[in-house]
């Protein structure tokens, strides 16, 4: 991770680390870096989610880009994957998303895609950081050299919506569906996508006010959707996060269907149709053992990347695979888009559900799930402290011993968070009680090493 760019762009509390001045300078630096790559007058797309701070950061970024001689296609409120798709389709030189994804509304972020719709390389991010740190004077254009807005955002957003609708495989019909838009970016697009199918559709949490994004709703807060699914007799509940790059699902009984199950169900369908490249799925080290078992039983090779969609994508590109994702609901369908897309995931999943002729609970039960317990341990002092803890040889030996002591199939994963001051502990075992006991033991063990 760099000084400004973390694992998913620049992220922070607005006006307490991430402010208009920084956004302005990021715009200047990004325009200069693209100009260095041979784009004399680069074109950027800019999209945002529904946070109240989005307008301020958008204005500052655009002003920085204009000052350094770049033009801007302003997309307004759109999902993160829409920015990636539109950037590639519009022949823009780069795309910028203003979003903090599933974080609460005081946070926001700046993420940059390259001309092909993939996240900006580490090398280009490092070059932007060097300019932000004063390696050379930031460019200031005058007169006709300054940039301006290109007013085609609405046209490009319609193209994105048509693309997502076109990705349905087979008929999506006859279902009673409720969708939680997290008061985020999907509030602007979900009705335009899912109303195109002959289903009974209800949208909730689709009235953003700038401060209610992810507030007790969306893919990180599934309790409301669970209650409404069962109370309303819905066949399926679908939840997106604030920027709609994630999708999780509730079955008709109000039970969660997570990203591992979604990947398994869609992956098997793609395999049966001869569309799963390399007969492989790319998951992460956090994926449940049940997905490993399901994949093996169905002739699918499961590859595990480090946590983070950037790592999943890298392994997909390396192996030429077209399906990958995370337990959190961040799915990448590389034949259709270049980054995780919650609405695309929902369209793909609804297609498979309709074709199966089964209730969702029946379909989801075909992908087993081992009891899994997650614990977060707060670490003060920054990344260097987390790294020092994770390099403690005695601690690492004791963690391995705890994993070896789990009877039957079981697994332990201890890792530092890439975005928060946390060390995460994950334990899987054949019973919930055993998983909880092991996780509690490891949590105390790590805390003891933090405070000897």
């Amino acid at each position: 991770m760099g000084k400004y760019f973390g694992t998913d762009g620049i992220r922070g509390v607005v006006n307490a680390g991430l402010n208009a001045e920084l956004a302005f300078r990021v715009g200047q630096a990004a325009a200069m870096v693209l100009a260095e790559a041979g784009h004399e007058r680069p074109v950027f797309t800019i999209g945002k989610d529904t946070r109240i701070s989005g307008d301020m950061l958008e204005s500052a970024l655009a002003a920085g880009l204009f000052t350094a001689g770049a033009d801007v296609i302003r997309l307004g409120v759109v999902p993160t994957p829409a920015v990636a798709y539109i950037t590639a389709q519009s022949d823009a030189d780069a795309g910028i998303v203003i979003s903090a994804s599933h974080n609460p509304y005081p946070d926001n972020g700046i993420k940059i895609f390259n001309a092909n719709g993939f996240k900006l390389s580490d090398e280009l991010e490092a070059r932007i950081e060097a300019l932000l740190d004063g390696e050379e004077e930031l460019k200031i254009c005058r007169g006709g050299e300054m940039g301006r807005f290109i007013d085609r955002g609405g046209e490009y957003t319609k193209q994105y919506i048509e693309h997502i609708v076109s990705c349905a495989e087979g008929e999506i019909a006859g279902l009673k569906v409720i969708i939680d838009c997290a008061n985020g970016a999907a509030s602007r697009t979900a009705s335009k996508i899912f109303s195109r199918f002959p289903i009974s559709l209800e949208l909730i949490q689709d009235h953003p006010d700038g401060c209610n994004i992810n507030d007790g709703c969306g893919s990180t807060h599934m309790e409301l959707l669970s209650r409404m699914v069962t109370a309303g007799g819905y066949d399926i509940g679908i939840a997106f996060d604030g920027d709609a790059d994630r999708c999780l699902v509730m079955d008709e009984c109000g039970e969660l269907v997570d990203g591992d199950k979604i990947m398994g169900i869609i992956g098997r369908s793609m395999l049966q149709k001869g569309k799963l490249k390399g007969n492989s799925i790319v998951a992460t080290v956090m994926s449940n053992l049940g997905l490993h078992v399901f994949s093996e039983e169905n002739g699918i090779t499961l590859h595990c990347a480090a946590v983070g969609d950037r790592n999943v994508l890298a392994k997909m590109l390396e192996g030429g695979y077209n399906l990958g994702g995370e337990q959190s609901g961040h799915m990448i369908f590389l034949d259709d888009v270049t980054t995780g897309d919650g609405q695309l995931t929902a369209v793909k999943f609804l297609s498979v559900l309709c074709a199966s002729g089964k209730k969702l609970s029946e379909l989801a039960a075909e992908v087993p799930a081992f009891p899994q317990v997650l614990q977060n341990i707060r670490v003060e002092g920054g990344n260097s402290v987390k790294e020092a803890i994770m390099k403690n040889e005695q601690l690492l030996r004791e963690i391995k011993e705890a994993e070896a002591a789990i009877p039957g199939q079981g697994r332990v994963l201890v890792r530092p968070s890439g975005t928060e001051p946390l060390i995460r502990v994950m334990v899987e075992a054949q019973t919930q009680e055993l998983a909880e006991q092991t996780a509690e033991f490891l949590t105390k063990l790590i805390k003891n090493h933090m405070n000897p």
Side-chain angles (χ1 to χ4, degrees):
M1 291 188 294
K3 179 178 178 181
Y4 300 96
F5 287 91
T7 56
D8 200 27
I10 299 171
R11 191 79 65 89
V13 178
V14 177
N15 288 333
L18 174 59
N19 56 26
E21 180 184 1
L22 176 59
F24 177 82
R25 291 169 57 233
V26 169
Q28 284 180 288
M32 289 176 65
V33 168
L34 267 294
E36 288 172 354
H39 309 282
E40 183 176 346
R41 190 179 184 88
V43 176
F44 286 73
T45 62
I46 297 183
K48 59 187 176 182
D49 66 22
T50 57
R51 292 163 213 271
I52 194 169
S53 58
D55 290 349
M56 179 188 78
L57 295 175
E58 177 191 49
S59 299
L61 274 164
L65 290 165
F66 296 154
T67 298
D71 292 333
V72 172
I73 301 172
R74 182 168 50 182
L75 302 175
V77 173
V78 292
T80 287
V83 177
Y85 177 81
I86 291 167
T87 299
Q89 294 298 310
S90 65
D91 294 326
D93 298 294
I96 300 179
V97 178
I98 303 165
S99 174
S101 190
H102 55 281
N103 286 25
Y105 88 91
D107 295 350
N108 216 326
I110 299 170
K111 179 161 55 180
I112 306 177
F113 292 106
N114 66 21
N116 297 316
F118 295 107
K119 289 182 180 179
L120 210 61
S121 69
D122 292 341
E123 292 75 19
L124 290 181
E125 286 184 350
R127 176 62 181 139
I128 290 173
E129 290 199 345
L131 290 171
L132 293 175
D133 279 339
E135 182 179 271
E136 60 187 84
E137 188 173 341
L138 293 176
K139 184 177 181 181
I140 298 177
C141 293
R142 293 174 176 82
E145 294 181 348
M146 290 187 294
R148 59 185 176 183
F149 281 123
I150 299 172
D151 188 20
R152 295 184 63 187
E155 172 189 338
Y156 286 125
T157 301
K158 287 179 182 177
Q159 290 180 16
Y160 165 76
I161 290 168
E162 290 296 328
H163 175 65
I164 299 302
V165 171
S166 73
C167 290
E169 297 186 14
E171 188 178 30
I172 298 176
L175 295 175
K176 188 175 183 182
V177 179
I178 182 170
I179 296 178
D180 182 343
C181 296
N183 290 314
S187 301
R188 299 290 179 89
T189 53
S191 63
K192 296 174 183 177
I193 292 170
F194 295 96
S195 64
R196 299 281 293 275
F197 305 109
I199 58 177
S200 174
L201 177 66
E202 180 178 356
L203 301 183
I204 61 171
Q205 306 301 324
D206 61 334
H207 292 86
D209 62 11
C211 301
N212 61 359
I213 187 171
N214 301 316
D215 186 10
C217 57
S219 63
T220 51
H221 303 279
M222 300 284 283
E223 301 83 5
L224 171 65
L225 184 61
S226 176
R227 292 195 300 270
M228 294 193 71
V229 166
T230 54
Y234 292 90
D235 297 303
I236 183 174
I238 297 169
F240 305 122
D241 64 340
D243 67 337
D245 67 349
R246 297 187 185 192
C247 171
L248 291 177
V249 169
M250 285 287 178
D251 70 18
E252 77 281 1
C253 302
E255 295 296 321
L256 174 67
V257 180
D258 67 12
D260 286 340
K261 287 180 176 281
I262 293 171
M263 269 192 292
I265 290 166
I266 296 177
R268 181 179 61 183
S269 174
M270 292 173 65
L271 179 71
Q272 292 169 345
K273 296 176 181 178
K275 294 184 177 181
L276 187 66
K277 291 181 179 177
N279 296 340
S280 294
I281 295 174
V282 177
T284 76
V285 292
M286 291 292 287
S287 284
N288 195 281
L289 276 171
L291 180 60
H292 290 255
V293 172
F294 175 84
S295 298
E296 185 175 356
E297 290 176 346
N298 286 275
I300 296 171
T301 302
L302 188 67
H303 305 271
C304 287
V307 173
D309 62 289
R310 182 187 289 263
N311 299 315
V312 172
L313 177 60
K315 191 169 282 288
M316 292 175 70
L317 291 171
E318 178 185 337
Y321 310 126
N322 59 347
L323 174 60
E326 300 182 271
Q327 193 179 67
S328 61
H330 195 280
M331 307 288 160
I332 303 174
F333 296 89
L334 210 46
D335 288 341
D336 304 297
V337 292
T338 56
T339 190
D341 192 317
Q343 292 175 122
L344 174 62
T345 301
V347 167
K348 297 276 190 182
F349 192 77
L350 288 170
S351 298
V352 177
L353 177 60
C354 286
S356 74
K358 299 176 182 178
K359 290 183 177 181
L360 178 49
S361 60
E362 297 171 341
L363 192 60
E366 295 173 5
V367 184
F370 280 58
Q372 187 179 83
V373 175
L374 302 173
Q375 296 273 13
N376 291 321
I377 304 166
R378 190 165 188 86
V379 179
E380 303 296 341
N383 290 332
S384 61
V385 177
K386 288 189 292 185
E387 291 170 3
I389 293 170
M390 295 307 302
K391 290 179 180 178
N392 186 306
E393 292 184 2
Q394 182 181 348
L395 174 60
L396 295 177
R397 283 197 302 271
E398 291 170 339
I399 290 171
K400 286 184 178 180
E401 290 170 1
E403 182 174 30
I406 300 174
Q409 287 182 294
R411 189 164 62 112
V412 166
L413 179 65
V414 179
R415 68 176 186 90
S417 169
T419 58
E420 299 177 86
L422 303 171
I423 288 178
R424 304 192 191 278
V425 176
M426 185 274 285
V427 178
E428 289 172 340
Q430 291 185 325
T431 69
Q432 184 71 22
E433 181 182 11
L434 183 56
E436 290 175 354
Q437 289 175 351
T438 305
E440 185 64 28
F441 170 78
L442 288 169
T443 298
K444 290 179 180 178
L445 185 66
I446 294 167
K447 287 181 176 179
N448 288 339
H449 279 276
M450 290 168 53
N451 304 293

